[in-house]
Amino acid sequence: MADWEKIRAGFVKEGKSYRELARDFDTPYSTIQSRGTAENWPGQRAEYLEDDLGIRLEQVTSKLLRRIEKTIDGDKELDSRDFKAMTGALRELRELNGTETAGAGDGGELTVRFVGEAEEMSK
């Protein structure tokens, strides 16, 4: 008897094709295809990939923010290279944010305001 949960996970989470699954689980292709269609495995795969992308995006965003925070909170005095690195990371965040919110209508805008010495160096 086929382990349908493993077969479904192979399609949804691992990106395997129905043919690969038929080979791997020694189950007829048509049986897997019929079950996949009936249970909307392609839709489940799309949802899984979208959720996975969201999680990865959050991880990258957090990493960039930690890098900026570490640079700002460091004991050394910041120079122009530090500010360049921070603005580069902020640009990356803006681009990631724009990717995440594409179609949301808000344009994925990220606003950054430098103050004091940083404001002068950012001009």
Side-chain angles (χ1 to χ4, degrees), residues 28-95:
Y29 167 83
S30 60
T31 303
I32 292 176
Q33 183 184 33
S34 295
R35 182 116 182 203
T37 301
E39 295 179 2
N40 189 26
W41 291 358
Q44 292 176 30
R45 178 188 276 177
E47 287 177 20
Y48 174 78
L49 291 173
E50 187 174 311
D51 290 345
D52 188 50
L53 177 63
I55 290 167
R56 288 182 188 186
L57 187 59
E58 287 177 26
Q59 292 170 340
V60 169
T61 300
S62 294
K63 185 176 180 179
L64 288 172
L65 287 172
R66 281 193 307 273
R67 184 183 297 167
I68 292 169
E69 185 177 330
K70 184 178 177 182
T71 301
I72 292 171
D73 291 343
D75 291 337
K76 71 175 191 142
E77 190 171 314
L78 300 178
D79 60 22
S80 61
R81 285 181 303 198
D82 296 320
F83 287 107
K84 185 175 181 179
M86 284 190 293
T87 56
L90 289 168
R91 260 189 234 102
E92 289 178 40
L93 280 174
R94 184 185 66 215
E95 290 171 11

Side-chain angles (χ1 to χ4, degrees), residues 1-32:
M1 188 162 131
D3 185 343
W4 288 108
E5 190 54 37
K6 283 185 179 178
I7 295 171
R8 185 189 72 80
F11 184 86
V12 173
K13 296 181 179 180
E14 297 173 26
K16 291 185 176 182
S17 70
Y18 292 144
R19 291 201 189 284
E20 288 175 295
L21 294 167
R23 254 190 331 271
D24 292 350
F25 290 92
D26 196 28
T27 304
Y29 167 83
S30 60
T31 303
I32 292 176

